[in-house]
Amino acid sequence: MIKLSNPSDFKSADIPTDPGVYLYRDEQDGILYVGKAKNLRSRVKSYFSGIDQPPKTRQLLLHIRSIDWIVVNNEVEALLLENKLIKQHTPKYNIDLKDAKSYAYISLTREPYPRVLTSRKVSRKLESFGPYTDGFTRQDLQRTVVRVFKLRTCKTMHKRACLNYHINMCTAPCTGNITPEQYGKQVKDARSFLNGNYQQTIEQLTTQMHEASKNQHFEEALELRKQIASIHLLTERQIVDNERRFDQDVMIFRRFGEKMLALQMGVRKGVLLGKKEFSIDLQPHIEQEFLKAFYNANQIPREILLNKPVWLEPDEKTALEEFLAKKRLAPVSLTIPRKADKLALIKLAEKNLESSLEFDSALADLQNSLNLPTLPRIIECFDISNLGTEHVVSGMVTFKDAKPDKKNYRKFKIKTFTGQDDFASMHEVVLRRYKRQVEEKNPLPDLIVIDGGPGQVNAAITALQAIDRQIPLIGLAKEHEEIYLPNDPTPKMFDKNSRMMLLLRKIRDATHDFSLGYNRKRRQMQVREEFKHPKKRSDKQMLKQNSQTNKN
Protein backbone atom coordinates (compact mmCIF):
# COMPACT_ATOMS: atom_id res chain seq x y z
CA MET A 1 0.00 0.00 0.00
CA ILE A 2 1.13 3.56 -0.77
CA LYS A 3 0.16 6.46 1.52
CA LEU A 4 -0.37 9.95 0.04
CA SER A 5 -0.93 13.36 1.62
CA ASN A 6 -1.55 14.92 -1.82
CA PRO A 7 -1.27 13.80 -5.48
CA SER A 8 2.26 15.22 -5.88
CA ASP A 9 3.57 12.63 -3.37
CA PHE A 10 2.86 9.76 -5.77
CA LYS A 11 5.80 7.57 -6.79
CA SER A 12 5.15 4.56 -8.98
CA ALA A 13 8.27 2.51 -8.18
CA ASP A 14 6.58 0.56 -5.34
CA ILE A 15 3.69 -0.67 -7.50
CA PRO A 16 4.23 -4.04 -9.25
CA THR A 17 3.97 -4.46 -13.01
CA ASP A 18 1.80 -7.59 -12.69
CA PRO A 19 -1.88 -7.81 -13.72
CA GLY A 20 -4.29 -7.07 -10.91
CA VAL A 21 -6.81 -4.76 -9.27
CA TYR A 22 -6.01 -1.37 -7.74
CA LEU A 23 -8.04 0.42 -5.05
CA TYR A 24 -7.99 4.15 -4.29
CA ARG A 25 -8.90 4.96 -0.67
CA ASP A 26 -9.83 8.20 1.12
CA GLU A 27 -8.79 9.59 4.51
CA GLN A 28 -11.23 7.28 6.36
CA ASP A 29 -9.90 4.27 4.41
CA GLY A 30 -13.13 4.11 2.39
CA ILE A 31 -12.81 2.83 -1.17
CA LEU A 32 -13.20 5.62 -3.74
CA TYR A 33 -12.48 3.68 -6.92
CA VAL A 34 -11.71 0.13 -8.05
CA GLY A 35 -9.99 -0.58 -11.37
CA LYS A 36 -8.21 -3.44 -13.13
CA ALA A 37 -5.02 -3.41 -15.15
CA LYS A 38 -2.83 -5.71 -17.19
CA ASN A 39 0.12 -3.70 -15.79
CA LEU A 40 -0.73 -2.16 -12.41
CA ARG A 41 2.18 0.32 -12.34
CA SER A 42 1.49 1.66 -15.82
CA ARG A 43 -2.26 2.05 -15.26
CA VAL A 44 -2.03 3.80 -11.88
CA LYS A 45 0.79 6.04 -13.13
CA SER A 46 -1.45 7.23 -15.99
CA TYR A 47 -3.84 8.84 -13.45
CA PHE A 48 -1.12 10.94 -11.82
CA SER A 49 0.88 11.86 -14.92
CA GLY A 50 -2.04 12.94 -17.13
CA ILE A 51 -1.74 16.58 -18.21
CA ASP A 52 -5.37 17.15 -19.22
CA GLN A 53 -7.47 14.95 -16.95
CA PRO A 54 -11.32 15.19 -16.98
CA PRO A 55 -12.92 17.07 -14.04
CA LYS A 56 -14.21 13.86 -12.41
CA THR A 57 -10.69 12.37 -12.39
CA ARG A 58 -9.22 15.59 -10.96
CA GLN A 59 -11.79 15.42 -8.15
CA LEU A 60 -10.87 11.78 -7.48
CA LEU A 61 -7.14 12.59 -7.27
CA LEU A 62 -7.79 15.29 -4.65
CA HIS A 63 -9.39 12.74 -2.31
CA ILE A 64 -6.95 9.81 -2.68
CA ARG A 65 -4.95 9.20 0.51
CA SER A 66 -3.77 5.64 -0.14
CA ILE A 67 -3.41 3.20 -3.03
CA ASP A 68 -3.79 -0.53 -2.52
CA TRP A 69 -3.62 -3.39 -5.04
CA ILE A 70 -4.21 -7.11 -5.42
CA VAL A 71 -2.03 -9.07 -7.85
CA VAL A 72 -3.66 -11.88 -9.89
CA ASN A 73 -2.48 -14.33 -12.55
CA ASN A 74 -4.00 -12.78 -15.67
CA GLU A 75 -6.27 -10.03 -16.96
CA VAL A 76 -9.44 -12.16 -16.91
CA GLU A 77 -8.95 -12.85 -13.19
CA ALA A 78 -8.45 -9.10 -12.73
CA LEU A 79 -11.76 -8.36 -14.47
CA LEU A 80 -13.63 -10.90 -12.34
CA LEU A 81 -12.10 -9.60 -9.09
CA GLU A 82 -12.77 -5.98 -10.09
CA ASN A 83 -16.42 -6.87 -10.79
CA LYS A 84 -16.77 -8.54 -7.39
CA LEU A 85 -15.19 -5.63 -5.46
CA ILE A 86 -17.33 -3.01 -7.24
CA LYS A 87 -20.49 -4.95 -6.34
CA GLN A 88 -19.30 -5.33 -2.74
CA HIS A 89 -18.19 -1.74 -2.08
CA THR A 90 -20.07 0.38 -4.70
CA PRO A 91 -17.25 2.98 -4.86
CA LYS A 92 -18.27 6.60 -5.39
CA TYR A 93 -16.18 7.18 -8.53
CA ASN A 94 -17.02 3.97 -10.37
CA ILE A 95 -19.85 4.16 -12.89
CA ASP A 96 -23.22 3.42 -11.29
CA LEU A 97 -25.84 2.71 -13.96
CA LYS A 98 -28.98 2.78 -11.81
CA ASP A 99 -31.17 3.33 -14.86
CA ALA A 100 -29.92 0.12 -16.43
CA LYS A 101 -31.45 -1.93 -13.62
CA SER A 102 -34.99 -0.77 -14.35
CA TYR A 103 -35.61 -2.61 -17.62
CA ALA A 104 -38.83 -4.60 -17.64
CA TYR A 105 -39.53 -8.19 -18.67
CA ILE A 106 -42.60 -9.99 -19.97
CA SER A 107 -43.12 -12.92 -17.62
CA LEU A 108 -45.22 -16.05 -17.26
CA THR A 109 -46.05 -17.21 -13.74
CA ARG A 110 -45.23 -20.77 -12.74
CA GLU A 111 -48.82 -21.70 -11.84
CA PRO A 112 -51.09 -24.53 -13.08
CA TYR A 113 -52.70 -21.89 -15.31
CA PRO A 114 -49.90 -19.34 -15.90
CA ARG A 115 -50.74 -15.68 -16.34
CA VAL A 116 -48.80 -13.08 -18.32
CA LEU A 117 -47.51 -9.93 -16.62
CA THR A 118 -44.78 -7.28 -16.59
CA SER A 119 -41.94 -7.76 -14.09
CA ARG A 120 -38.94 -5.64 -13.13
CA LYS A 121 -36.87 -8.47 -11.67
CA VAL A 122 -35.95 -11.99 -12.71
CA SER A 123 -37.32 -14.49 -10.20
CA ARG A 124 -37.50 -18.27 -9.87
CA LYS A 125 -41.24 -17.88 -9.55
CA LEU A 126 -41.42 -16.39 -13.05
CA GLU A 127 -40.39 -17.38 -16.56
CA SER A 128 -39.08 -14.10 -17.95
CA PHE A 129 -38.45 -12.85 -21.49
CA GLY A 130 -36.40 -9.75 -22.23
CA PRO A 131 -35.33 -7.38 -20.82
CA TYR A 132 -36.98 -4.78 -23.06
CA THR A 133 -35.24 -1.40 -23.08
CA ASP A 134 -38.21 0.21 -24.83
CA GLY A 135 -41.53 0.25 -22.97
CA PHE A 136 -43.70 0.65 -26.08
CA THR A 137 -42.18 -2.44 -27.69
CA ARG A 138 -42.76 -4.48 -24.54
CA GLN A 139 -46.38 -3.30 -24.25
CA ASP A 140 -47.06 -4.14 -27.91
CA LEU A 141 -45.65 -7.65 -27.46
CA GLN A 142 -47.57 -8.22 -24.23
CA ARG A 143 -50.87 -7.05 -25.75
CA THR A 144 -50.27 -9.31 -28.76
CA VAL A 145 -49.62 -12.32 -26.50
CA VAL A 146 -52.88 -11.72 -24.63
CA ARG A 147 -54.90 -11.11 -27.81
CA VAL A 148 -53.47 -14.02 -29.83
CA PHE A 149 -52.89 -16.70 -27.20
CA LYS A 150 -55.72 -15.68 -24.83
CA LEU A 151 -53.75 -16.10 -21.60
CA ARG A 152 -55.14 -14.91 -18.30
CA THR A 153 -53.94 -11.62 -16.81
CA CYS A 154 -55.96 -11.64 -13.56
CA LYS A 155 -53.99 -11.85 -10.32
CA THR A 156 -56.61 -14.05 -8.63
CA MET A 157 -58.65 -16.72 -10.40
CA HIS A 158 -62.32 -16.08 -9.62
CA LYS A 159 -65.15 -18.56 -10.17
CA ARG A 160 -66.86 -16.32 -12.71
CA ALA A 161 -65.52 -15.35 -16.10
CA CYS A 162 -64.20 -11.80 -16.34
CA LEU A 163 -64.59 -9.24 -19.14
CA ASN A 164 -61.59 -10.62 -21.08
CA TYR A 165 -63.47 -13.88 -21.64
CA HIS A 166 -66.54 -12.10 -22.95
CA ILE A 167 -64.48 -10.07 -25.45
CA ASN A 168 -62.65 -13.23 -26.55
CA MET A 169 -59.26 -12.36 -25.02
CA CYS A 170 -59.12 -15.18 -22.45
CA THR A 171 -60.25 -18.81 -22.44
CA ALA A 172 -61.41 -18.50 -18.79
CA PRO A 173 -59.59 -21.39 -17.08
CA CYS A 174 -61.14 -20.09 -13.83
CA THR A 175 -64.55 -21.48 -14.88
CA GLY A 176 -63.27 -24.90 -15.96
CA ASN A 177 -64.03 -23.89 -19.54
CA ILE A 178 -60.69 -25.36 -20.67
CA THR A 179 -58.55 -28.31 -19.54
CA PRO A 180 -55.01 -27.88 -18.16
CA GLU A 181 -53.68 -29.61 -21.30
CA GLN A 182 -55.48 -27.20 -23.63
CA TYR A 183 -54.32 -24.19 -21.65
CA GLY A 184 -50.80 -25.65 -21.57
CA LYS A 185 -50.83 -25.65 -25.39
CA GLN A 186 -51.71 -21.91 -25.36
CA VAL A 187 -48.81 -21.25 -22.97
CA LYS A 188 -46.41 -23.32 -25.10
CA ASP A 189 -47.32 -21.33 -28.21
CA ALA A 190 -46.98 -18.03 -26.32
CA ARG A 191 -43.55 -19.10 -25.03
CA SER A 192 -42.41 -19.87 -28.57
CA PHE A 193 -43.67 -16.47 -29.72
CA LEU A 194 -41.86 -14.61 -26.91
CA ASN A 195 -38.67 -16.47 -27.80
CA GLY A 196 -38.83 -14.78 -31.21
CA ASN A 197 -40.31 -17.60 -33.31
CA TYR A 198 -42.81 -15.30 -35.03
CA GLN A 199 -42.82 -17.05 -38.39
CA GLN A 200 -43.59 -20.41 -36.77
CA THR A 201 -46.51 -18.83 -34.91
CA ILE A 202 -47.85 -17.25 -38.11
CA GLU A 203 -47.61 -20.59 -39.95
CA GLN A 204 -49.51 -22.40 -37.16
CA LEU A 205 -52.26 -19.80 -37.10
CA THR A 206 -52.51 -19.78 -40.91
CA THR A 207 -52.98 -23.56 -40.93
CA GLN A 208 -55.70 -23.26 -38.28
CA MET A 209 -57.38 -20.47 -40.25
CA HIS A 210 -57.54 -22.56 -43.45
CA GLU A 211 -58.87 -25.53 -41.50
CA ALA A 212 -61.58 -23.43 -39.86
CA SER A 213 -62.55 -21.93 -43.22
CA LYS A 214 -62.66 -25.37 -44.83
CA ASN A 215 -65.03 -26.55 -42.07
CA GLN A 216 -67.13 -23.39 -42.57
CA HIS A 217 -66.27 -22.06 -39.10
CA PHE A 218 -66.06 -18.58 -40.53
CA GLU A 219 -66.13 -16.62 -37.27
CA GLU A 220 -63.18 -18.65 -35.96
CA ALA A 221 -61.33 -18.16 -39.28
CA LEU A 222 -61.92 -14.40 -39.11
CA GLU A 223 -60.58 -14.27 -35.54
CA LEU A 224 -57.47 -16.22 -36.60
CA ARG A 225 -56.94 -13.83 -39.51
CA LYS A 226 -57.08 -10.89 -37.09
CA GLN A 227 -54.47 -12.58 -34.90
CA ILE A 228 -52.17 -13.13 -37.89
CA ALA A 229 -52.62 -9.49 -38.91
CA SER A 230 -51.68 -8.37 -35.37
CA ILE A 231 -48.42 -10.33 -35.49
CA HIS A 232 -47.62 -9.08 -39.01
CA LEU A 233 -48.17 -5.50 -37.88
CA LEU A 234 -45.87 -5.98 -34.89
CA THR A 235 -43.11 -7.80 -36.76
CA GLU A 236 -43.12 -5.47 -39.77
CA ARG A 237 -42.44 -2.61 -37.39
CA GLN A 238 -39.86 -4.40 -35.26
CA ILE A 239 -37.97 -6.93 -37.37
CA VAL A 240 -34.45 -5.74 -38.19
CA ASP A 241 -33.13 -8.90 -39.83
CA ASN A 242 -35.36 -11.96 -39.98
CA GLU A 243 -32.42 -14.21 -40.89
CA ARG A 244 -30.45 -13.49 -37.71
CA ARG A 245 -31.14 -16.13 -35.07
CA PHE A 246 -28.94 -14.96 -32.22
CA ASP A 247 -28.89 -12.06 -29.77
CA GLN A 248 -26.93 -8.87 -30.35
CA ASP A 249 -26.41 -5.52 -28.71
CA VAL A 250 -25.35 -2.40 -30.57
CA MET A 251 -23.26 -0.13 -28.33
CA ILE A 252 -21.94 3.20 -29.57
CA PHE A 253 -19.96 5.92 -27.82
CA ARG A 254 -19.52 9.61 -28.64
CA ARG A 255 -17.66 12.27 -26.64
CA PHE A 256 -19.48 15.58 -26.13
CA GLY A 257 -17.70 18.22 -24.05
CA GLU A 258 -16.88 16.74 -20.65
CA LYS A 259 -19.40 13.92 -21.12
CA MET A 260 -19.37 10.56 -22.84
CA LEU A 261 -22.66 9.73 -24.52
CA ALA A 262 -23.48 6.03 -24.86
CA LEU A 263 -26.40 4.45 -26.69
CA GLN A 264 -27.40 0.79 -26.46
CA MET A 265 -29.86 -0.95 -28.78
CA GLY A 266 -30.83 -4.58 -28.16
CA VAL A 267 -31.60 -7.02 -30.98
CA ARG A 268 -33.10 -10.35 -29.89
CA LYS A 269 -33.54 -12.95 -32.63
CA GLY A 270 -33.74 -10.20 -35.21
CA VAL A 271 -36.21 -8.06 -33.25
CA LEU A 272 -35.18 -4.54 -32.27
CA LEU A 273 -36.11 -4.10 -28.60
CA GLY A 274 -35.53 -0.35 -28.40
CA LYS A 275 -32.77 1.93 -27.18
CA LYS A 276 -31.30 3.27 -23.95
CA GLU A 277 -29.16 6.41 -23.67
CA PHE A 278 -26.59 7.35 -21.04
CA SER A 279 -24.53 10.45 -20.33
CA ILE A 280 -21.43 9.79 -18.18
CA ASP A 281 -18.72 12.07 -16.80
CA LEU A 282 -15.44 11.53 -18.61
CA GLN A 283 -12.77 9.47 -16.86
CA PRO A 284 -9.91 7.24 -18.05
CA HIS A 285 -10.94 4.16 -20.07
CA ILE A 286 -14.55 5.30 -19.83
CA GLU A 287 -15.90 3.09 -22.66
CA GLN A 288 -14.60 -0.12 -21.12
CA GLU A 289 -15.73 0.97 -17.64
CA PHE A 290 -19.20 1.62 -18.99
CA LEU A 291 -19.33 -1.73 -20.80
CA LYS A 292 -18.47 -3.66 -17.64
CA ALA A 293 -20.93 -1.67 -15.50
CA PHE A 294 -23.75 -2.07 -18.05
CA TYR A 295 -23.40 -5.85 -18.39
CA ASN A 296 -23.06 -6.23 -14.66
CA ALA A 297 -26.77 -5.37 -14.49
CA ASN A 298 -28.12 -6.52 -17.87
CA GLN A 299 -28.47 -9.58 -20.03
CA ILE A 300 -25.30 -10.31 -22.01
CA PRO A 301 -25.90 -11.16 -25.69
CA ARG A 302 -23.84 -13.44 -27.91
CA GLU A 303 -22.42 -10.51 -29.89
CA ILE A 304 -21.81 -6.85 -29.01
CA LEU A 305 -21.36 -4.49 -31.97
CA LEU A 306 -19.23 -1.43 -31.22
CA ASN A 307 -18.51 1.75 -33.16
CA LYS A 308 -14.96 1.99 -31.75
CA PRO A 309 -12.47 -0.20 -29.84
CA VAL A 310 -12.81 -0.16 -26.04
CA TRP A 311 -9.42 -1.84 -25.65
CA LEU A 312 -5.86 -0.69 -26.22
CA GLU A 313 -4.44 -3.95 -27.56
CA PRO A 314 -5.74 -7.34 -28.80
CA ASP A 315 -4.96 -9.15 -25.53
CA GLU A 316 -7.20 -6.73 -23.64
CA LYS A 317 -10.06 -7.43 -26.08
CA THR A 318 -9.63 -11.20 -25.60
CA ALA A 319 -9.66 -10.81 -21.82
CA LEU A 320 -12.83 -8.69 -21.94
CA GLU A 321 -14.59 -11.27 -24.15
CA GLU A 322 -13.55 -14.07 -21.79
CA PHE A 323 -14.79 -12.09 -18.78
CA LEU A 324 -18.20 -11.52 -20.38
CA ALA A 325 -18.35 -15.17 -21.48
CA LYS A 326 -17.78 -16.36 -17.91
CA LYS A 327 -20.69 -14.19 -16.75
CA ARG A 328 -22.93 -15.33 -19.62
CA LEU A 329 -21.80 -18.99 -19.41
CA ALA A 330 -21.52 -18.96 -23.20
CA PRO A 331 -19.25 -17.35 -25.82
CA VAL A 332 -19.38 -13.57 -26.33
CA SER A 333 -17.76 -11.64 -29.17
CA LEU A 334 -16.96 -7.92 -29.37
CA THR A 335 -17.15 -6.76 -32.99
CA ILE A 336 -16.42 -3.52 -34.84
CA PRO A 337 -18.50 -4.14 -38.00
CA ARG A 338 -17.10 -3.91 -41.50
CA LYS A 339 -19.83 -5.79 -43.41
CA ALA A 340 -23.02 -4.18 -44.67
CA ASP A 341 -25.66 -5.78 -42.43
CA LYS A 342 -23.92 -5.25 -39.10
CA LEU A 343 -22.58 -1.88 -40.15
CA ALA A 344 -26.17 -0.85 -40.92
CA LEU A 345 -27.08 -1.48 -37.27
CA ILE A 346 -24.22 0.78 -36.15
CA LYS A 347 -25.43 3.48 -38.56
CA LEU A 348 -28.96 3.10 -37.18
CA ALA A 349 -27.71 3.56 -33.61
CA GLU A 350 -25.62 6.59 -34.62
CA LYS A 351 -28.67 8.11 -36.28
CA ASN A 352 -30.55 7.72 -32.98
CA LEU A 353 -27.68 9.30 -31.07
CA GLU A 354 -27.59 12.25 -33.47
CA SER A 355 -31.07 13.28 -32.35
CA SER A 356 -29.81 13.44 -28.76
CA LEU A 357 -26.75 15.39 -29.86
CA GLU A 358 -29.01 17.97 -31.49
CA PHE A 359 -30.38 18.84 -28.05
CA ASP A 360 -26.86 18.94 -26.57
CA SER A 361 -25.78 21.17 -29.46
CA ALA A 362 -28.72 23.46 -28.69
CA LEU A 363 -27.47 23.71 -25.09
CA ALA A 364 -23.96 24.50 -26.34
CA ASP A 365 -25.38 27.21 -28.64
CA LEU A 366 -27.32 28.62 -25.69
CA GLN A 367 -24.18 28.74 -23.55
CA ASN A 368 -22.11 30.43 -26.26
CA SER A 369 -24.77 32.91 -27.42
CA LEU A 370 -25.68 34.09 -23.90
CA ASN A 371 -22.14 33.75 -22.48
CA LEU A 372 -23.30 31.42 -19.70
CA PRO A 373 -20.68 30.13 -17.20
CA THR A 374 -21.67 26.46 -17.66
CA LEU A 375 -23.62 24.30 -20.09
CA PRO A 376 -27.30 24.85 -19.06
CA ARG A 377 -28.19 21.21 -18.41
CA ILE A 378 -30.88 22.19 -15.88
CA ILE A 379 -33.23 24.95 -17.03
CA GLU A 380 -36.25 26.16 -15.00
CA CYS A 381 -38.93 28.34 -16.56
CA PHE A 382 -41.73 30.40 -14.92
CA ASP A 383 -45.03 31.71 -16.29
CA ILE A 384 -47.87 33.63 -14.60
CA SER A 385 -51.45 32.72 -15.50
CA ASN A 386 -54.56 34.65 -14.42
CA LEU A 387 -58.13 35.42 -15.40
CA GLY A 388 -58.73 39.02 -14.40
CA THR A 389 -57.97 39.44 -10.70
CA GLU A 390 -58.96 35.88 -9.77
CA HIS A 391 -57.02 32.64 -9.77
CA VAL A 392 -53.59 34.20 -10.18
CA VAL A 393 -51.24 31.23 -10.30
CA SER A 394 -47.82 30.32 -11.65
CA GLY A 395 -46.31 27.21 -13.11
CA MET A 396 -42.65 26.23 -13.24
CA VAL A 397 -41.26 23.49 -15.45
CA THR A 398 -37.81 21.92 -15.33
CA PHE A 399 -35.88 20.66 -18.34
CA LYS A 400 -32.87 18.44 -17.72
CA ASP A 401 -30.49 17.83 -20.63
CA ALA A 402 -33.06 19.47 -22.93
CA LYS A 403 -35.81 17.04 -21.90
CA PRO A 404 -38.82 17.59 -19.59
CA ASP A 405 -38.17 16.55 -15.98
CA LYS A 406 -41.82 16.31 -14.97
CA LYS A 407 -41.23 15.12 -11.43
CA ASN A 408 -39.70 18.55 -10.76
CA TYR A 409 -42.57 20.63 -12.20
CA ARG A 410 -44.05 22.94 -9.56
CA LYS A 411 -47.34 24.90 -9.12
CA PHE A 412 -47.69 28.15 -7.16
CA LYS A 413 -50.80 29.91 -5.88
CA ILE A 414 -50.13 33.62 -5.28
CA LYS A 415 -50.34 34.28 -1.53
CA THR A 416 -48.87 37.69 -0.69
CA PHE A 417 -51.44 39.92 -2.40
CA THR A 418 -54.77 39.92 -4.22
CA GLY A 419 -55.48 41.40 -7.61
CA GLN A 420 -53.54 41.34 -10.87
CA ASP A 421 -49.85 42.26 -10.84
CA ASP A 422 -47.62 40.14 -13.05
CA PHE A 423 -44.40 41.71 -11.74
CA ALA A 424 -45.26 41.16 -8.06
CA SER A 425 -46.44 37.63 -8.88
CA MET A 426 -43.16 36.80 -10.60
CA HIS A 427 -41.16 38.22 -7.68
CA GLU A 428 -43.13 36.09 -5.22
CA VAL A 429 -42.84 32.74 -7.00
CA VAL A 430 -39.13 33.11 -7.84
CA LEU A 431 -38.39 34.12 -4.23
CA ARG A 432 -40.42 31.19 -2.84
CA ARG A 433 -38.84 28.67 -5.20
CA TYR A 434 -35.19 29.49 -4.62
CA LYS A 435 -35.44 30.44 -0.96
CA ARG A 436 -36.72 26.93 -0.33
CA GLN A 437 -34.05 25.38 -2.58
CA VAL A 438 -31.33 27.20 -0.63
CA GLU A 439 -32.81 26.27 2.76
CA GLU A 440 -33.07 22.60 1.78
CA LYS A 441 -29.62 22.70 0.14
CA ASN A 442 -31.01 21.48 -3.17
CA PRO A 443 -29.14 22.14 -6.44
CA LEU A 444 -29.94 25.38 -8.27
CA PRO A 445 -30.57 25.49 -12.04
CA ASP A 446 -27.96 26.48 -14.61
CA LEU A 447 -30.43 28.90 -16.23
CA ILE A 448 -33.77 30.50 -15.32
CA VAL A 449 -36.15 31.48 -18.13
CA ILE A 450 -38.95 33.97 -17.47
CA ASP A 451 -41.95 34.14 -19.79
CA GLY A 452 -42.06 37.91 -20.27
CA GLY A 453 -40.10 41.07 -20.89
CA PRO A 454 -37.94 43.53 -18.89
CA GLY A 455 -40.52 44.03 -16.10
CA GLN A 456 -40.81 40.32 -15.30
CA VAL A 457 -37.03 39.84 -15.61
CA ASN A 458 -36.26 42.68 -13.17
CA ALA A 459 -38.86 41.35 -10.70
CA ALA A 460 -37.18 37.91 -10.79
CA ILE A 461 -33.68 39.39 -10.39
CA THR A 462 -34.85 41.37 -7.33
CA ALA A 463 -36.13 38.12 -5.81
CA LEU A 464 -32.75 36.40 -6.33
CA GLN A 465 -30.95 39.39 -4.82
CA ALA A 466 -33.14 39.08 -1.71
CA ILE A 467 -31.67 35.62 -1.04
CA ASP A 468 -28.16 36.67 -2.19
CA ARG A 469 -28.01 34.25 -5.12
CA GLN A 470 -26.74 34.84 -8.65
CA ILE A 471 -28.25 32.50 -11.23
CA PRO A 472 -28.14 33.21 -14.98
CA LEU A 473 -31.60 34.50 -15.95
CA ILE A 474 -33.27 35.60 -19.19
CA GLY A 475 -36.73 36.67 -20.32
CA LEU A 476 -38.38 35.36 -23.49
CA ALA A 477 -41.06 37.69 -24.85
CA LYS A 478 -43.80 36.11 -26.96
CA GLU A 479 -44.57 38.78 -29.57
CA HIS A 480 -41.21 38.85 -31.40
CA GLU A 481 -39.46 35.95 -29.57
CA GLU A 482 -36.92 38.39 -28.12
CA ILE A 483 -34.51 37.57 -25.31
CA TYR A 484 -34.12 40.10 -22.49
CA LEU A 485 -31.14 40.11 -20.14
CA PRO A 486 -31.16 41.65 -16.63
CA ASN A 487 -30.55 45.43 -16.52
CA ASP A 488 -30.59 45.68 -20.30
CA PRO A 489 -33.74 47.17 -21.89
CA THR A 490 -32.52 46.33 -25.41
CA PRO A 491 -33.59 42.82 -26.46
CA LYS A 492 -31.33 40.35 -28.26
CA MET A 493 -32.62 38.80 -31.46
CA PHE A 494 -31.63 35.37 -32.73
CA ASP A 495 -32.75 33.22 -35.64
CA LYS A 496 -36.21 31.96 -34.59
CA ASN A 497 -35.59 28.59 -36.23
CA SER A 498 -32.14 28.00 -34.71
CA ARG A 499 -31.67 24.98 -32.44
CA MET A 500 -31.24 27.27 -29.44
CA MET A 501 -34.44 29.24 -30.04
CA LEU A 502 -36.49 26.14 -30.86
CA LEU A 503 -35.44 24.67 -27.52
CA LEU A 504 -36.25 27.86 -25.59
CA ARG A 505 -39.66 28.12 -27.24
CA LYS A 506 -40.36 24.48 -26.46
CA ILE A 507 -39.57 25.12 -22.77
CA ARG A 508 -41.57 28.37 -22.68
CA ASP A 509 -44.61 26.76 -24.37
CA ALA A 510 -44.50 23.78 -21.98
CA THR A 511 -44.50 26.23 -19.05
CA HIS A 512 -47.42 28.19 -20.49
CA ASP A 513 -49.50 25.02 -20.98
CA PHE A 514 -48.65 23.80 -17.47
CA SER A 515 -49.61 27.15 -15.86
CA LEU A 516 -52.82 27.43 -17.88
CA GLY A 517 -53.78 23.89 -16.90
CA TYR A 518 -53.35 24.77 -13.23
CA ASN A 519 -55.42 27.94 -13.67
CA ARG A 520 -58.26 25.95 -15.25
CA LYS A 521 -58.13 23.41 -12.46
CA ARG A 522 -58.46 26.17 -9.84
CA ARG A 523 -61.49 27.59 -11.65
CA GLN A 524 -63.12 24.15 -11.91
CA MET A 525 -62.53 23.60 -8.19
CA GLN A 526 -64.25 26.91 -7.41
CA VAL A 527 -67.26 26.10 -9.60
CA ARG A 528 -67.70 22.71 -7.91
CA GLU A 529 -67.39 24.32 -4.49
CA GLU A 530 -70.00 26.97 -5.31
CA PHE A 531 -72.49 24.39 -6.53
CA LYS A 532 -72.00 22.41 -3.34
CA HIS A 533 -72.53 25.56 -1.24
CA PRO A 534 -75.01 27.92 -3.03
CA LYS A 535 -74.97 30.43 -0.14
CA LYS A 536 -71.27 31.07 -0.65
CA ARG A 537 -71.93 31.65 -4.34
CA SER A 538 -74.72 34.21 -3.69
CA ASP A 539 -72.61 36.01 -1.05
CA LYS A 540 -69.72 36.24 -3.51
CA GLN A 541 -72.01 37.61 -6.25
CA MET A 542 -73.36 40.21 -3.81
CA LEU A 543 -69.82 41.31 -2.93
CA LYS A 544 -69.03 41.73 -6.62
CA GLN A 545 -72.20 43.78 -7.20
CA ASN A 546 -71.43 46.05 -4.21
CA SER A 547 -67.89 46.52 -5.45
CA GLN A 548 -69.17 47.50 -8.90
CA THR A 549 -71.72 49.91 -7.38
CA ASN A 550 -69.02 51.64 -5.28
CA LYS A 551 -66.87 52.09 -8.41
CA ASN A 552 -69.79 53.69 -10.27
Side-chain angles (χ1 to χ4, degrees), residues 202-213:
I202 289 172
E203 288 170 2
Q204 288 177 353
L205 293 174
T206 302
T207 301
Q208 293 173 25
M209 180 182 70
H210 291 320
E211 190 67 27
S213 180

Side-chain angles (χ1 to χ4, degrees), residues 244-420:
R244 190 168 289 118
R245 294 300 176 192
F246 55 88
D247 296 343
Q248 291 173 310
D249 269 4
V250 185
M251 189 77 73
I252 64 170
F253 301 97
R254 181 81 63 85
R255 178 171 175 170
F256 185 82
E258 295 298 336
K259 295 282 185 178
M260 177 64 72
L261 302 182
L263 183 140
Q264 178 266 351
M265 297 175 68
V267 182
R268 299 293 179 262
K269 291 190 173 23
V271 179
L272 182 64
L273 300 185
K275 66 175 182 177
K276 191 71 175 177
E277 298 174 13
F278 298 88
S279 177
I280 319 113
D281 292 328
L282 280 179
Q283 62 186 67
H285 321 290
I286 182 67
E287 295 92 349
Q288 191 176 134
E289 293 292 319
F290 174 86
L291 207 66
K292 291 181 291 187
F294 183 84
Y295 289 114
N296 197 38
N298 289 278
Q299 183 182 25
I300 303 173
R302 174 178 158 182
E303 183 177 43
I304 301 170
L305 305 179
L306 302 164
N307 68 326
K308 60 188 293 188
V310 299
W311 52 83
L312 298 176
E313 53 189 44
D315 287 351
E316 196 173 2
K317 173 181 183 283
T318 303
L320 192 56
E321 286 176 332
E322 193 174 334
F323 163 72
L324 293 169
K326 284 182 180 293
K327 290 179 68 64
R328 182 176 181 255
L329 303 177
V332 176
S333 63
L334 300 171
T335 306
I336 299 175
R338 297 287 181 264
K339 294 183 179 180
D341 57 342
K342 293 180 181 181
L343 191 59
L345 288 174
I346 290 289
K347 296 295 184 186
L348 178 64
E350 287 178 338
K351 186 177 179 180
N352 277 273
L353 189 60
E354 285 298 329
S355 63
S356 298
L357 281 171
E358 283 182 17
F359 288 120
D360 282 320
S361 299
L363 295 179
D365 290 348
L366 198 54
Q367 181 183 7
N368 294 331
S369 299
L370 300 179
N371 197 26
L372 302 176
T374 60
L375 194 70
R377 292 198 168 274
I378 299 177
I379 300 175
E380 294 184 348
C381 182
F382 294 83
D383 182 34
I384 304 297
S385 179
N386 57 64
L387 183 66
T389 58
E390 292 188 358
H391 308 299
V392 182
V393 299
S394 173
M396 185 211 79
V397 308
T398 302
F399 271 56
K400 186 174 182 180
D401 290 328
K403 296 177 183 177
D405 182 14
K406 293 192 176 182
K407 69 177 184 296
N408 283 313
Y409 282 21
R410 294 293 182 268
K411 301 171 184 174
F412 299 89
K413 182 183 176 184
I414 301 303
K415 297 179 178 179
T416 56
F417 67 93
T418 57
Q420 184 177 354

Side-chain angles (χ1 to χ4, degrees), residues 55-56 86 100 170 222 259 322 354 401 432 445 449 501 506 532:
K56 188 173 181 180
I86 289 173
C170 178
L222 181 61
K259 295 282 185 178
E322 193 174 334
E354 285 298 329
D401 290 328
R432 283 167 55 188
V449 179
M501 290 302 297
K506 179 180 178 181
K532 283 182 182 178

Side-chain angles (χ1 to χ4, degrees), residues 167-195:
I167 60 175
N168 200 27
M169 289 181 65
C170 178
T171 50
C174 52
T175 63
N177 186 54
I178 188 172
T179 66
E181 291 76 18
Q182 290 170 321
Y183 192 83
K185 175 67 168 54
Q186 294 173 217
V187 173
K188 181 181 177 182
D189 291 342
R191 184 182 293 115
S192 174
F193 177 80
L194 288 169
N195 278 321

